[in-house]
């Protein structure tokens, strides 16, 4: 029995999970087209490894890069590369970028792959390579490469693997659904991670309303007879599913500001990621599909489905009965931490855990922002113990140094401050904007530093060339003088 701790702030949000968790988990149909953005995260882009007109099979790598934070992109079904062109991508700014488009052929032919018979016979490096080659990233929403997470470096000693099944957003049920339907893959995935990390403790944390998932997981843990794994229920206080908040609740440890969980001996992995690790290592399957929640009162048949990565949202909505007449906004992710989409032709990516077709009842629309009244409610609700009001003022004024001083980058953008703000100020938008400006400013400073180094090196090279030229001239002058002297001496002897 674990003694659970409590993090600062947080909110009890209305639970709308019953919209999607009543229907059985289904397999989504293969879409007519699959779309894959080449940009994976800020500053990380993969390169196409195919050409337009080429036929590809499911599981084939179609894009990759040597960048350490890049993961390979695999085709999710067989078909022909139709285009490599600019399309809207799932991004808060609504930006467009290069995408690979596959016209599927309906045959769903796959590459022949094979997993390992016994993962315990594999060394950690081999497991990390299998996970990297399978393109596995964190499926909780961050999409950070899992193979990198499994290699925290020799200076960090891990003692706890924490599987994050605390799905705190009020509409999302994909992790709950996965744990109910595939508890074996989640828990064997946990065993693989334990083996690769050489640690002896795994805690699977789920929220206390997930009764069926808890029953299924505890049943499988008992069948595996693995005393290293325990399942705990944590209070459903938003944002318990935040990595640092969950670590605090389960272990009592605080992740240091600017640090990572590995600094305090913890590796936190989403339950969907653990399941994907199982598929990659034991079945040799790359990450080409995942469970996605399609929900909200703006879609006729909310449910969870196994969806091919690259599926356009329009086709996914169509498979769920289509839109209702009251739909107002399409959000990727939950209403708290997700972002609005400008178009339903945008495709799902590995980080997509939910598509929320929201009506006015699902999302706050039309509330006019008013001046801050300095009530301080935002600070009481902040789960990171920040001062959101100060961050707001400094973000609004463009005072980026002050924003950093008030720990802007510790903000997890959970939206608790916005929910309690009586003035309806879109606080998270200000924080995201300030973060973007700080990052852009840092990149500009880095570029300027590189340019200065290049200029200094150019001056040093030029000075060196001039010195060498002067030295050559001096040596030449000395040589000529010696020749003249020798000639003069020779003429003197002759006379």
């Amino acid at each position: 029995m674990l003694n659970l701790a409590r993090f600062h702030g947080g909110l009890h949000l209305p639970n709308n999970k019953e919209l999607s968790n009543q229907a059985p988990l289904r397999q989504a149909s293969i879409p007519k087209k699959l779309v894959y953005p080449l940009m994976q995260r800020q500053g990380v882009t993969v390169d196409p490894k195919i050409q337009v007109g080429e036929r590809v099979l499911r599981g084939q790598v179609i894009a990759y890069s040597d960048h350490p934070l890049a993961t390979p992109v695999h085709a999710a079904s067989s078909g022909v590369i139709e285009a490599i062109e600019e399309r809207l991508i799932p991004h808060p700014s609504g930006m467009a970028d290069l995408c690979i488009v596959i016209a599927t052929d309906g045959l769903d032919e796959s590459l022949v792959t094979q997993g390992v018979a016994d993962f315990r016979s594999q060394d950690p490096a081999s497991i990390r390579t299998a996970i990297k080659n399978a393109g596995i990233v964190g499926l909780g929403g961050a999409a950070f490469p899992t193979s990198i997470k499994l290699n925290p470096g020799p200076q960090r000693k891990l003692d706890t693997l924490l599987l994050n099944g605390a799905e705190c957003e009020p509409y999302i049920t994909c992790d709950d659904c996965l744990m109910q339907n595939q508890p074996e893959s989640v828990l064997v995935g946990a065993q693989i991670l334990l083996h690769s990390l050489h640690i002896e403790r795994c805690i699977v944390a789920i929220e206390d309303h997930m009764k069926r998932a808890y029953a299924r997981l505890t049943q499988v843990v008992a069948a595996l007879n693995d005393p290293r794994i325990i399942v705990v229920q944590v209070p459903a206080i938003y944002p318990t599913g935040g990595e640092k908040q969950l670590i605090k609740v389960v272990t009592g440890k605080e992740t240091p500001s600017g640090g990572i969980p590995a600094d305090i001996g913890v590796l936190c992995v989403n339950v969907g990621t653990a399941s994907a690790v199982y598929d990659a290592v034991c079945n040799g399957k790359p990450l080409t599909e995942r469970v996605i929640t399609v929900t909200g009162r703006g879609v006729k048949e909310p449910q969870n489905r196994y969806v091919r990565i690259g599926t356009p949202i329009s086709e996914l909505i169509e498979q769920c009965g289509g839109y209702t007449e009251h739909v107002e906004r399409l959000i990727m992710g939950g209403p708290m931490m997700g972002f609005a989409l400008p178009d339903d032709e945008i495709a799902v990516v590995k980080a997509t855990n939910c598509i929320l077709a929201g009506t006015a009842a699902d999302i706050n629309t039309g509330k006019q922002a008013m001046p801050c009244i300095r009530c301080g409610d935002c600070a009481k609700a902040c789960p990171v113990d920040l001062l959101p009001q100060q961050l707001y003022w400094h973000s609004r004024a463009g005072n980026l140094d002050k924003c950093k001083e008030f720990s802007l980058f510790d903000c997890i953008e959970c939206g608790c401050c916005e929910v309690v703000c009586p003035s309806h100020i879109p606080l998270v938008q200000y924080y995201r904007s300030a973060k973007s400006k700080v990052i852009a400013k840092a990149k500009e400073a880095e570029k300027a530093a590189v340019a200065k180094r290049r200029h200094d090196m150019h001056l040093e090279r030029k000075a060196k060339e001039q010195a060498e030229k002067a030295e050559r001239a001096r040596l030449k002058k000395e040589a000529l003088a010696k020749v003249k002297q020798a000639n003069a001496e020779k003429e003197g002897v002759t006379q």
Side-chain angles (χ1 to χ4, degrees):
M1 177 70 75
L2 286 178
N3 291 320
L4 299 180
R6 174 81 164 86
F7 59 86
H8 178 270
L11 298 171
H12 287 282
L13 295 175
N15 190 329
N16 291 284
K17 294 177 184 285
E18 73 287 352
L19 284 175
S20 59
N21 67 7
Q22 302 303 308
L25 177 61
R26 297 174 182 171
Q27 182 72 48
S29 304
I30 301 171
K32 297 184 184 75
K33 294 184 189 300
L34 293 163
V35 182
Y36 299 93
L38 296 181
M39 192 179 85
Q40 295 193 329
R41 54 199 310 121
Q42 193 69 34
V44 181
T45 301
V46 290
D47 305 315
K49 300 299 178 189
I50 38 72
Q51 294 183 340
V52 174
E54 182 178 338
R55 185 168 188 266
V56 295
L57 302 178
R58 182 178 186 181
Q60 181 176 335
V61 174
I62 56 173
Y64 186 61
S65 162
D66 291 330
H67 192 288
L69 294 180
T71 52
V73 178
H74 302 79
S77 189
S78 60
V80 175
I81 303 297
E82 185 178 85
I84 302 173
E85 61 186 18
E86 276 211 348
R87 290 192 171 212
L88 289 175
I89 64 172
H91 192 276
S93 68
M95 65 184 287
D97 201 33
L98 278 180
C99 297
I100 296 174
V101 182
I102 298 175
T104 57
D105 56 17
L107 301 175
D108 204 26
E109 291 183 86
S110 300
L111 289 178
V112 177
T113 57
Q114 190 172 10
V116 299
D118 182 5
F119 66 82
R120 296 173 186 83
S121 65
Q122 302 294 302
D123 59 73
S126 299
I127 290 176
R128 282 198 300 272
T129 299
I131 291 170
K132 180 179 180 182
N133 292 341
I136 296 176
V137 298
L139 299 186
F144 189 79
T146 303
S147 60
I148 294 178
K149 219 170 181 181
L150 296 181
N151 191 15
Q155 75 279 14
R156 297 186 177 99
K157 176 66 177 172
L158 299 178
D159 56 44
T160 301
L161 170 66
L162 177 57
L163 286 201
N164 188 348
E167 200 165 41
C168 57
E169 281 264 10
Y171 284 78
I172 305 176
T173 57
C174 59
D175 288 345
D176 186 11
C177 192
L178 175 71
M179 290 187 287
Q180 290 182 44
N181 288 275
Q182 298 288 339
E184 296 87 358
S185 68
V186 172
L187 295 171
V188 176
Q191 289 181 315
I192 294 170
L193 295 172
L194 286 172
H195 170 73
S196 68
L197 294 165
H198 295 305
I199 54 180
E200 294 297 324
R201 181 169 83 145
C202 173
I203 303 169
V204 186
I206 67 174
E207 291 194 329
D208 51 15
H209 57 79
M210 299 176 177
K211 303 297 183 189
R212 283 178 288 184
Y214 180 75
R216 293 286 288 127
L217 288 170
T218 52
Q219 182 184 15
V220 176
V221 167
L224 291 173
N225 192 25
D226 190 337
R228 299 174 300 173
I229 304 175
I230 60 171
V231 184
V232 298
Q233 295 175 292
V234 297
I237 301 172
Y238 180 81
T240 298
E243 185 176 70
K244 293 181 179 179
Q245 287 66 45
L246 187 61
I247 290 171
K248 169 70 177 178
V249 170
V250 174
T251 70
K253 295 179 180 178
E254 295 270 7
T255 306
S257 176
I260 61 175
D263 292 333
I264 53 172
V266 180
L267 184 78
C268 188
V269 175
N270 176 264
V271 289
T273 309
S275 178
V277 165
Y278 162 76
D279 272 336
V281 176
C282 296
N283 299 324
K285 290 172 59 178
L287 182 59
T288 58
E289 68 177 359
R290 62 160 298 161
V291 181
I292 293 178
T293 302
V294 183
T295 188
R297 294 169 180 82
V299 63
K300 290 180 180 174
E301 299 169 9
Q303 57 195 266
N304 286 283
R305 287 194 174 221
Y306 271 114
V307 180
R308 308 287 176 114
I309 308 297
T311 300
I313 293 166
S314 56
E315 290 206 32
L316 189 53
I317 293 287
E318 195 61 33
Q319 292 177 31
C320 295
Y323 296 110
T324 66
E325 60 181 318
H326 301 297
V327 63
E328 288 202 5
R329 188 177 296 174
L330 203 56
I331 294 174
M332 186 172 283
M336 300 299 290
M337 300 182 78
F339 55 89
L341 297 173
D343 192 313
D344 64 2
E345 289 306 309
I346 291 173
V348 300
V349 292
K350 294 176 182 177
T352 306
N353 54 3
C354 175
I355 299 298
L356 172 61
T359 64
D362 298 313
I363 50 181
N364 293 325
T365 57
K367 289 186 177 176
Q368 188 68 38
M370 295 180 288
C372 173
I373 59 173
R374 300 178 184 274
C375 62
D377 286 354
C378 51
K380 295 173 189 168
C382 179
V384 195
D385 219 1
L386 300 178
L387 295 172
Q389 181 186 312
Q390 296 301 319
L391 279 173
Y392 162 63
W393 289 117
H394 294 310
S395 300
R396 184 176 172 178
N399 194 338
L400 301 180
D401 289 334
K402 277 289 183 184
C403 287
K404 288 192 285 184
E405 192 179 310
F406 279 87
S407 305
L408 171 68
F409 283 89
D410 281 350
C411 170
I412 61 172
E413 302 177 14
C414 63
C416 284
C417 52
E418 277 191 22
V419 171
V420 300
C421 178
S423 298
H424 312 304
I425 300 171
L427 295 164
V428 175
Q429 288 185 32
Y430 281 97
Y431 308 151
R432 283 177 178 163
S433 174
K435 285 180 181 178
S436 299
K437 289 175 183 173
V438 170
I439 292 170
K441 191 177 176 183
K443 286 185 177 176
E444 285 300 317
E446 188 179 342
K447 281 183 184 176
V450 170
K452 184 175 184 308
R453 280 200 300 275
R454 291 177 62 188
H455 179 67
D456 291 345
M457 288 172 65
H458 172 72
L459 292 179
E460 286 176 14
R461 190 168 59 248
K462 203 169 178 181
K464 185 180 177 184
E465 287 173 355
Q466 288 177 340
E468 289 174 349
K469 188 176 178 181
E471 178 64 11
R472 285 197 301 272
R474 185 185 67 77
L475 292 173
K476 186 177 178 181
K477 190 176 179 181
E478 284 181 3
L480 286 173
K482 286 179 181 177
V483 170
K484 282 182 181 178
Q485 185 178 3
N487 288 339
E489 288 174 354
K490 190 176 177 181
E491 287 175 2
V493 171
T494 304
Q495 291 173 357

